[in-house]
Amino acid sequence: MADKVPVVGFPTVQTDQGFERLKKLAEKFKEKFGCEPNFYGRAPGRVNLIGEHIDYCGYSVLPMAIEQDVVIAVATTESQDVLLSNVKSELYSDFVFPVNNVNINKDSPQWQDYFQCGFLGMTEHLKLSSPVRGMKCMVDGTVPPSSGLSSSSALVCCAALVTMYANGKSLPKNELADMCAKCERYIGTQGGGMDQAISFMAHKGTAKLIDFNPLKATDVYLPDGISFVISNSCVEKNKAASSEFNTRVVECRIATQILAKQKGLQWASFQHLGDVQKALNLSLPQAVKLVKEILHKEPYTRSEICQILDMKEEDFVSNVLSSRTAQVQSFKLFQRATHVFSEAGRVLSFKHICDEADPQASQKLGKLMNESHTSCRDMYECSCTDLDNLVSVCLEAGALGSRLTGAGWGGCAVSMVPTNHVMDFLVKVKKNYYDKNSTKAAMVGKSLFATQPGTGAQIYLPNIAS
Ligand code: ADP
Ligand code: NG1
């Protein structure tokens, strides 16, 4: 039977973690809309343990869901509008849109645009013939925004989920994840499918290896005696408001096509480095070697790429470049492709070490995480000074491995720490990173915390007991 998003009762026990939060959200909802919500959707953020910037190249990644999430309280209505309100109204203003006239602002995306991505994706996917239900929605998110923990995907997934439930439908989790990966791209960022996959397919207590095409999530049991600690550099990076993310996606696509062409493949149909590796039947180390043989370290210019691919510059701009990258002039193909193939190999090694229950597992996993960070920093250039400094502080504080997580250019580091050393680790990181700067010191409470693999998306009904 297809695995569906669980519909569960409202937490009723006072000690239940979610109880106070949902109660407050229900009160806010009533204050704003003058009625009770019918149901609540929840979708979590995630921390990626290893496998950065490779999901959109077709490679497996290894995230786990976190406790921080987006919850939306909903009342369905007979009107043809969606009324959006946010618990953090000082940051996110109220917004109304008609169900049949969604307008996503790609040029300067605001919070409602992410909601509309999920809403539009779902209504298109369901091809709803009867009128789409109107909704009153109150949104409450606890994932720190623009920090690499997927606040945007939690919002997109939750919006799609409540739209589905409001219209009386129920889809399998993998279909929801695939659909949300596609519709989040309406915002203009050409991401992979990791965040949406783990948000729907996570299970409490285990990290997951996520494979794409077809989408599959496999449990990964982490060794005993280690904990994962997230620390936020407090440098925000909004992907949709900048060009770096899409530039990396384009660099990988160009590297794909040049490698394919030089190896005599029908290069124009190749979009992902993973597909070239498969078509050439290479191991990942062989693919890294191929990059050394074919690509040069100096950045490629547009004219050189057009010459290699025998393409006019206007075709290059319209067919290869994408929204937000039309102005990019130089492309580091050697560095990006080397990162992707080597990082894909590190994900497989990480999973293998966990499966083997190796007595040296935690040291080996830590080493892989450190290598991943070095590659992200030097080859993919998706770190920043504060984040590199934070990673060094975490290693000095006793982490066995530490690396940036998520898109990077700011945001969070994830560190693997012996469980019996976590308290000492937290004290040291607070002292040596956060306390050095008054702005960061003020944010330490929500920026530095140990985390456990959390559960995936859920629907809560207020009128049944949990
Ligand atoms: P991330 O790496 O966390 O996914 P992005 O920069 O891609 O970050 O997206 C962050 C954006 O998502 C925010 O600028 C905001 O528009 C939206 N967002 C995140 N959390 C919330 C929230 N709780 N309420 C409303 N919008 C949110
Ligand atoms: P975050 O950290 O949520 O910005 C982004 C992409 C992922 C993946 C990572 C890098 C989206 C929605 N998410 O994540 O698919 O490519 O960067 O590993 O674009």
Side-chain angles (χ1 to χ4, degrees), residues 228-464:
F228 287 91
V229 178
I230 293 175
S231 49
N232 194 336
S233 67
C234 304
V235 176
E236 285 195 5
K237 174 73 183 180
N238 187 309
K239 284 191 314 288
S242 49
S243 63
E244 286 89 343
F245 189 91
N246 280 1
T247 302
R248 294 295 177 275
V249 178
V250 160
E251 287 174 313
C252 289
R253 196 181 308 142
I254 299 169
T256 300
Q257 299 198 328
I258 293 184
L259 292 175
K261 181 149 196 279
Q262 307 294 44
K263 293 303 285 181
L265 299 172
Q266 294 289 324
W267 61 273
S269 63
F270 282 82
Q271 298 289 316
H272 304 120
L273 284 165
D275 297 335
V276 178
Q277 183 221 338
K278 256 186 234 133
L280 296 173
N281 201 15
L282 298 175
S283 67
L284 285 162
Q286 285 169 331
V288 172
K289 212 162 143 242
L290 182 74
V291 171
K292 283 205 181 87
E293 284 161 19
I294 293 187
L295 301 176
H296 58 67
K297 287 189 180 164
E298 299 70 35
Y300 285 70
T301 61
R302 282 179 177 216
S303 60
E304 185 182 6
I305 295 166
C306 290
Q307 202 183 6
I308 298 171
L309 295 180
D310 197 13
M311 195 183 250
K312 288 198 197 109
E313 186 150 339
E314 60 260 35
D315 293 335
F316 177 71
V317 173
S318 58
N319 300 341
V320 180
L321 298 185
S322 61
S323 97
R324 304 196 189 110
T325 58
Q327 304 309 320
V328 181
Q329 299 296 329
S330 84
F331 305 84
K332 293 194 178 175
L333 307 185
F334 171 90
Q335 291 81 348
R336 309 316 182 216
T338 302
H339 167 77
V340 169
F341 290 135
S342 63
E343 184 76 352
R346 283 186 283 274
V347 172
L348 300 184
S349 304
F350 196 100
K351 166 84 165 56
H352 183 72
I353 292 166
C354 292
D355 289 347
E356 293 293 291
D358 186 323
Q360 293 296 306
S362 32
Q363 280 72 20
K364 289 184 180 171
L365 297 180
K367 184 163 175 280
L368 288 170
M369 290 175 72
N370 294 337
E371 288 168 3
S372 169
H373 183 75
T374 303
S375 182
C376 284
R377 183 191 63 205
D378 298 342
M379 300 304 266
Y380 221 69
E381 296 178 281
C382 62
S383 189
C384 70
T385 310
D386 284 22
L387 194 46
D388 289 338
N389 176 24
L390 176 58
V391 165
S392 303
V393 165
C394 290
L395 290 172
E396 280 157 23
L400 297 167
S402 185
R403 57 181 296 280
L404 69 83
T405 186
W409 296 286
C412 292
V414 56
S415 302
M416 196 176 78
V417 182
T419 302
N420 58 13
H421 187 69
V422 168
M423 287 315 289
D424 185 50
F425 175 84
L426 295 173
V427 169
K428 285 186 174 144
V429 175
K430 178 177 179 299
K431 176 164 173 265
N432 296 328
Y433 186 77
Y434 294 94
D435 290 353
K436 301 272 175 196
N437 171 302
S438 58
T439 315
K440 289 177 174 143
M443 295 164 78
V444 69
K446 286 193 172 168
S447 301
L448 178 65
F449 52 91
T451 189
Q452 304 284 337
T455 189
Q458 284 168 313
I459 299 276
Y460 295 110
L461 294 184
N463 50 357
I464 57 171

Side-chain angles (χ1 to χ4, degrees), residues 8 73 77 85 113 122 132 156 192 217 230 249 292 312 375 384 410 445:
V8 299
T77 67
S85 198
D113 296 304
M122 181 54 72
V132 179
V156 171
I230 293 175
V249 178
K292 283 205 181 87
K312 288 198 197 109
S375 182
C384 70

Side-chain angles (χ1 to χ4, degrees), residues 46 48 51-56 61 146-153 180-181 184-185 187 189-196 212 237 239 245 249 403-409:
R46 59 101 188 98
N48 189 21
E52 225 57 84
H53 287 279
I54 61 171
D55 56 350
Y56 53 79
V61 292
S146 302
S147 301
L149 301 179
S150 288
S151 67
S152 60
S153 302
C180 286
E184 186 159 350
R185 294 187 197 123
I187 212 78
T189 309
Q190 301 186 315
M194 158 168 68
D195 310 344
Q196 302 82 1
F212 301 96
K237 174 73 183 180
K239 284 191 314 288
F245 189 91
V249 178
R403 57 181 296 280
L404 69 83
T405 186
W409 296 286

